[in-house]
């Protein structure tokens, strides 16, 4: 279908406000600039054709306005290198490990995986651990998954416990005691991820850090769920859990936090961000990390939960003043919790 035909067919469509979404932040990624054709994603939670058509039309009409907004918002960006979406696979860390090895960096075969599940299904570390016969600590709270992890990767020590910022250092103590630089540190617990990794970063060094991000909150908004003892129980009891937006932390929050400990953003996509230590920058030549977090976000295919893509696009492309955007982000999360949760869980927000 050509763009002209799509505009005619979809012009009067009413947009939905679905809160789960898989697709591109920038709808023009669906548009072939050479012939005007549109490609649709035939996957669960992809943007409906009617909505996507209207979003493309809007972006074509307001292209200059949106470009100016990003230029204004990104003046204080951390990275300056253009982001190549094909450079890193955020769902499989093994090619990144190989890249470092091929550049001459020595690997330790040691890692920490917080939020490890069973260590196998949908875990971006699984191929790395298998191929390297890597050892380390896997932290997982579910006893059944702990047992499956022990069967799948018997050489890895499993700390079968709920993790908090207060206990995470004790759970990974064996790795801290041997003082070996890690190949990989991963934190993915669907809740207060940044407070947990903030405890780990001063205590250990890794060449690669993989951290879950909330993909619905664009730069420059630095947002993070903070620890609360009932947050996980609420998350686990909410139906469907895919609609819960109070999870993890924003890309901008992670970039600022990890930069303090010498880590460069190299990739963002889905619901994950990958950082590598500044000591291995030469492995990315001719690229020069850190990557521009605004460009990475603009290029990203995301898997978002609980926040409509319309709202995300407004915060990223339409609002060129964080003094307007910050109250909107704050009001969204407070309003959602007032309507859906038994209490207001703590979060951090700055711009």
């Amino acid at each position: 279908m050509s763009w002209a035909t799509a505009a005619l067919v979809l012009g009067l469509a009413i947009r939905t406000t679905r809160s789960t979404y898989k697709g591109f932040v920038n709808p023009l990624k669906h548009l072939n600039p050479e012939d005007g054709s549109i490609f649709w994603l035939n996957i669960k939670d992809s943007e409906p054709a009617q909505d996507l058509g209207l979003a493309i039309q809007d972006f074509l009409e307001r292209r200059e306005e949106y470009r100016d907004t990003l230029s204004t918002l990104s003046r204080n960006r951390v990275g300056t290198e253009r982001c190549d979406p094909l450079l890193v696979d955020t769902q499989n860390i093994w090619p990144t490990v190989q890249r470092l090895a091929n550049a001459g960096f020595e690997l330790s075969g040691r890692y920490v995986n917080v939020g490890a599940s069973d260590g196998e299904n949908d875990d971006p570390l699984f191929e790395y651990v298998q191929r390297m016969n890597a050892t380390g600590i896997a932290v997982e709270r579910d006893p059944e998954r702990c047992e499956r992890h022990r069967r799948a990767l018997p050489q890895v020590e499993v700390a079968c416990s709920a993790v908090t910022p207060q206990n995470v250092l004790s759970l990974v103590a064996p790795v801290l005691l041997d003082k070996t630089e890690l190949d990989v540190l991963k934190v993915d617990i669907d809740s207060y991820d940044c407070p947990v990794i903030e405890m780990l970063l001063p205590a250990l060094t890794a060449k690669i850090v993989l951290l879950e991000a909330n993909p619905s909150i664009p730069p420059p908004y630095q947002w993070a769920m903070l620890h609360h003892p009932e947050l996980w129980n609420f998350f686990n009891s909410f139906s469907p859990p895919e609609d819960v937006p109070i999870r993890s932390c924003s890309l901008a929050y992670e970039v600022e936090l990890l930069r303090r400990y010498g880590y460069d953003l190299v990739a963002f996509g889905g619901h994950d961000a990958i950082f590598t230590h500044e000591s291995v920058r030469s492995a990315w030549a001719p690229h020069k990390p850190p990557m521009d977090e605004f460009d990475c976000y603009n290029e990203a295919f995301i898997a978002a939960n609980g926040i409509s893509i319309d709202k995300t696009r407004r915060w990223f492309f339409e609002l060129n003043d964080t003094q307007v955007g910050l109250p909107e982000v704050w009001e969204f999360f407070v309003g959602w919790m007032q309507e859906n949760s038994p209490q207001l869980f703590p979060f951090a927000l700055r711009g």
Side-chain angles (χ1 to χ4, degrees), residues 105-160:
F105 292 101
E106 185 177 353
L107 302 174
S108 66
R110 296 282 278 165
Y111 74 101
V112 166
N113 187 353
V114 180
S117 188
D118 64 5
E120 184 173 10
N121 293 299
D122 297 322
D123 192 319
L125 272 60
F126 180 64
E127 186 174 5
Y128 152 73
V129 179
Q130 263 204 327
R131 288 179 177 271
M132 293 282 296
N133 196 30
T135 60
I137 303 291
V139 181
E140 171 55 44
R141 65 185 300 149
D142 181 82
E144 183 178 337
R145 291 175 179 172
C146 291
E147 286 306 309
R148 295 207 305 266
H149 194 296
R150 292 185 179 106
R151 291 195 296 269
L153 300 168
Q155 79 277 17
V156 178
E157 184 173 342
V158 178
C160 198

Side-chain angles (χ1 to χ4, degrees), residues 17 22 38 42 68 94 154 173 181 199 222 226 262 266 272 300:
T17 56
K22 291 180 181 176
I38 300 171
N42 186 24
D68 290 344
W94 173 241
E181 183 178 69
M199 297 300 295
Q222 296 183 33
L226 304 179
V266 295
D272 296 298

Side-chain angles (χ1 to χ4, degrees), residues 38-113:
I38 300 171
F39 71 89
W40 322 100
L41 297 173
N42 186 24
I43 57 175
K44 181 184 177 183
D45 296 326
S46 64
E47 197 163 9
Q50 296 91 339
D51 291 7
L52 180 58
L54 287 175
I56 291 173
Q57 183 178 23
D58 173 69
F59 270 64
L60 289 173
E61 292 172 353
R62 302 172 67 182
R63 189 194 300 258
E64 294 301 321
E65 175 190 341
Y66 292 163
R67 186 178 292 128
D68 290 344
T69 297
L70 288 186
S71 178
T72 299
L73 292 177
S74 65
R75 284 177 298 191
N76 295 320
R77 67 188 184 272
V78 172
T80 57
E81 182 79 353
R82 291 296 303 273
C83 210
D84 181 354
L86 301 179
L87 183 64
V88 177
D89 183 356
T90 60
Q91 304 308 301
N92 183 2
I93 209 69
W94 173 241
T96 300
V97 172
Q98 285 183 298
R99 186 181 187 105
L100 300 190
N102 292 340
F105 292 101
E106 185 177 353
L107 302 174
S108 66
R110 296 282 278 165
Y111 74 101
V112 166
N113 187 353

Side-chain angles (χ1 to χ4, degrees), residues 250-297:
S250 69
L251 177 64
Y253 191 101
E254 295 177 358
V255 167
E256 193 278 334
L257 171 61
L258 272 83
R259 181 66 251 144
R260 282 187 270 145
Y261 294 93
Y263 293 93
D264 300 326
L265 175 69
V266 295
F268 168 70
H271 46 73
D272 296 298
I274 292 181
F275 299 80
T276 55
H277 196 266
E278 60 190 8
S279 62
V280 300
R281 281 178 179 170
S282 60
W284 298 104
H287 301 280
K288 298 178 180 179
M291 306 308 184
D292 180 341
E293 63 269 28
F294 285 82
D295 188 54
C296 288
Y297 196 86

Side-chain angles (χ1 to χ4, degrees), residues 331-350:
E331 289 167 5
F332 169 80
F333 284 102
V334 170
W336 190 93
M337 285 187 280
Q338 287 175 332
E339 184 175 341
N340 295 281
S341 70
Q343 63 191 89
L344 295 180
F345 293 106
F347 63 88
L349 175 63
R350 56 184 180 262

Side-chain angles (χ1 to χ4, degrees), residues 1-14 40 49-50 53-54 57:
M1 178 185 292
S2 71
W3 163 244
T5 303
L8 180 64
V9 171
L10 304 174
L12 299 178
I14 298 175
W40 322 100
Q50 296 91 339
L54 287 175
Q57 183 178 23

